[in-house]
Amino acid sequence: MAKAAPTVIGVLTEPAPPTWWGTNRHKVFLVIGLIAGFYTGTHSTDSDAAPHTEQHRPAHTAPDHPNPSR
């Protein structure tokens, strides 16, 4: 008894090479992100804001007890 000839299910083809955008989009997004971050960091100050001053705190939070055995 002879074997049946194999049937062709599909044909593999090599995919097309990626376009310029497909190759370089991560670089474009990196540059855009760096520019946006720099712009946000240098232009987001509020000139009307009051300067931050540190609050004075007491040197001790509770008075010392006269009787140390307590």
Side-chain angles (χ1 to χ4, degrees), residues 11-56:
V11 178
L12 293 176
T13 58
E14 187 174 339
T19 61
W20 181 90
W21 174 250
T23 305
N24 296 310
R25 66 180 172 208
H26 63 284
K27 295 175 188 176
V28 171
F29 287 134
L30 173 69
V31 170
I32 290 172
L34 288 173
I35 291 170
F38 178 77
Y39 183 80
T40 302
T42 58
H43 292 85
S44 65
T45 58
D46 186 9
S47 61
D48 297 335
H52 177 69
T53 57
E54 187 174 330
Q55 298 292 329
H56 295 287

